[in-house]
């Protein structure tokens, strides 16, 4: 997760207009998020890593179960791009859940698409919806998709509520942003998630998975003429066309499941209830 200095300055003007000039200058000069989080009101900021080489004050591999002295220690846990680099992802997710105190908040900014090679994994919205769910003592407060080059975000509806997956395509990198709360003091990964489209189909078939056949996605190929036109057009024009096509396909394939929101003007309650 990264932000340019001028973007951070604009964000500080909006979120912390009366910040101490010295602390503000430190936040703008730092390569880490710690000063920025302190400006937002964090009383203490700790960093967990598998290695001490970047100065983490808590050294522990998320591939391994969390030691008891770290359980229920934090009110907020932020994943700015860590979980996709951890191979043992079920254990890592369970660790994240156990780090939080009751009513603690998990915030994630993970890779959604077009970032092959950045880590072991790219994530789908349903990974967060099914993991940070009431059976595991959590509730997703908001989940969004942010595509590179687009000034707006897409708020995602839980596929378990809509009864179908939320499809999304974009020409550039797409990040997933998730905010979830620990409602149960004993919340952790106690139920292995299953995609809702399968549990819904199995329930509809009276609990018989064998009665549900495979649902293959129909992939469209680019016609040869259109491909030749793309080859001669400026990249910006092609990217704009593909983003427009993304909006059209999104609204056609997932009506009501994805909603455009402006991250600079929305409030959190509006993003949840709008």
């Amino acid at each position: 997760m990264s932000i340019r200095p001028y973007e951070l300055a604009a964000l500080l003007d909006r979120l912390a207009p009366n910040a101490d000039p010295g602390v503000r200058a430190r936040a703008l000069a730092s390569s880490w998020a710690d000063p920025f989080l302190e400006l937002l009101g964090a009383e203490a900021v700790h960093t967990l890593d598998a290695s001490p080489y970047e100065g983490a004050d808590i050294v522990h591999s998320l591939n391994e179960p969390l030691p008891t002295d770290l359980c229920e220690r934090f009110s907020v846990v932020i994943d700015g791009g860590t979980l996709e680099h951890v191979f043992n992802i079920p254990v890592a997710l369970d660790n994240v859940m156990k780090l939080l105190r009751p009513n603690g908040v998990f915030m994630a900014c993970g890779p959604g698409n077009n970032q092959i090679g950045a880590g072991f994994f790219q994530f789908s919205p349903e990974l967060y919806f099914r993991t940070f769910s009431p059976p595991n003592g959590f509730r997703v407060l908001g989940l969004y998709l942010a595509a590179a080059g687009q000034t707006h975000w897409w708020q995602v509806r839980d596929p378990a509520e809509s009864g179908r997956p939320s499809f999304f395509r974009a020409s550039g990198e797409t990040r997933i942003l998730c905010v979830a709360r620990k409602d149960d003091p004993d919340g952790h990964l106690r139920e292995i998630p299953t995609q809702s489209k399968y549990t819904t189909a199995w329930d509809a078939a009276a609990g018989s998975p064998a009665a549900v056949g495979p649902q293959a996605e129909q992939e469209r190929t680019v016609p040869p003429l259109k491909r030749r036109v793309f080859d001669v057009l400026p990249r910006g024009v092609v990217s704009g066309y593909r983003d427009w096509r993304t909006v059209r396909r999104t609204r056609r394939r997932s009506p009501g499941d994805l909603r455009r929101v402006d991250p600079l003007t929305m409030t959190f309650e509006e993003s949840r209830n709008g």
Side-chain angles (χ1 to χ4, degrees), residues 13 46 152 259 272:
D13 289 340
H46 298 273
H152 58 273
R259 184 173 70 91
R272 287 179 56 192

Side-chain angles (χ1 to χ4, degrees), residues 20-39:
D20 178 90
V23 180
R24 176 189 170 93
R26 188 162 63 90
L28 290 173
S30 177
S31 300
W32 310 111
D34 304 38
F36 173 69
L37 297 174
E38 291 169 4
L39 279 174

Side-chain angles (χ1 to χ4, degrees), residues 89-126:
I89 192 68
V91 170
L93 289 167
D94 192 46
N95 286 338
V96 165
M97 297 166 128
K98 290 179 177 178
L99 282 168
L100 284 167
R101 301 170 184 165
N103 296 315
V105 173
F106 171 66
M107 305 177 70
C109 178
N113 205 5
N114 293 330
Q115 294 177 273
I116 293 177
F120 285 123
F121 307 104
Q122 298 183 100
F123 301 138
S124 72
E126 191 148 27

Side-chain angles (χ1 to χ4, degrees), residues 127 185 202 206-207 210 230 234:
L127 174 71
W202 296 343
F230 282 176

Side-chain angles (χ1 to χ4, degrees), residues 60-243:
H60 176 75
S61 171
L62 291 175
N63 285 295
E64 304 295 334
L66 202 66
T68 55
D69 63 306
L70 291 179
C71 293
E72 298 186 11
R73 182 170 167 182
F74 303 101
S75 58
V76 177
V77 171
I78 300 175
D79 169 25
T82 296
L83 288 178
E84 67 267 28
H85 302 286
V86 182
F87 183 78
N88 198 347
I89 192 68
V91 170
L93 289 167
D94 192 46
N95 286 338
V96 165
M97 297 166 128
K98 290 179 177 178
L99 282 168
L100 284 167
R101 301 170 184 165
N103 296 315
V105 173
F106 171 66
M107 305 177 70
C109 178
N113 205 5
N114 293 330
Q115 294 177 273
I116 293 177
F120 285 123
F121 307 104
Q122 298 183 100
F123 301 138
S124 72
E126 191 148 27
L127 174 71
Y128 294 103
F129 278 121
R130 299 284 71 77
T131 301
F132 297 94
S133 60
N136 290 326
F138 279 75
R139 183 164 65 94
V140 171
L141 302 179
L143 194 143
Y144 312 90
L145 302 177
Q150 297 184 8
T151 57
H152 58 273
W153 293 353
W154 292 91
Q155 183 183 5
V156 184
R157 186 182 176 191
D158 187 347
E161 297 178 358
S162 63
R164 57 183 176 269
S166 297
F167 291 97
F168 183 85
R169 293 177 180 174
S171 57
E173 295 180 358
T174 301
R175 304 290 293 180
I176 294 184
L177 303 100
C178 176
V179 181
R181 187 178 64 206
K182 186 174 185 176
D183 291 336
D184 185 341
D186 189 40
H188 66 280
L189 193 62
R190 54 197 178 202
E191 180 176 293
I192 301 301
T194 300
Q195 278 188 271
S196 60
K197 68 176 182 180
Y198 295 116
T199 55
T200 299
W202 296 343
D203 290 343
S208 175
V212 182
Q215 299 176 357
E217 287 295 321
Q218 297 295 323
E219 294 296 335
R220 297 182 179 181
T221 59
V222 179
L225 177 60
K226 184 183 289 188
R227 188 180 297 111
R228 288 196 293 269
V229 171
F230 282 176
D231 289 341
V232 299
L233 286 175
R235 181 173 297 179
V237 174
V238 175
S239 177
Y241 165 76
R242 285 174 172 165
D243 287 339

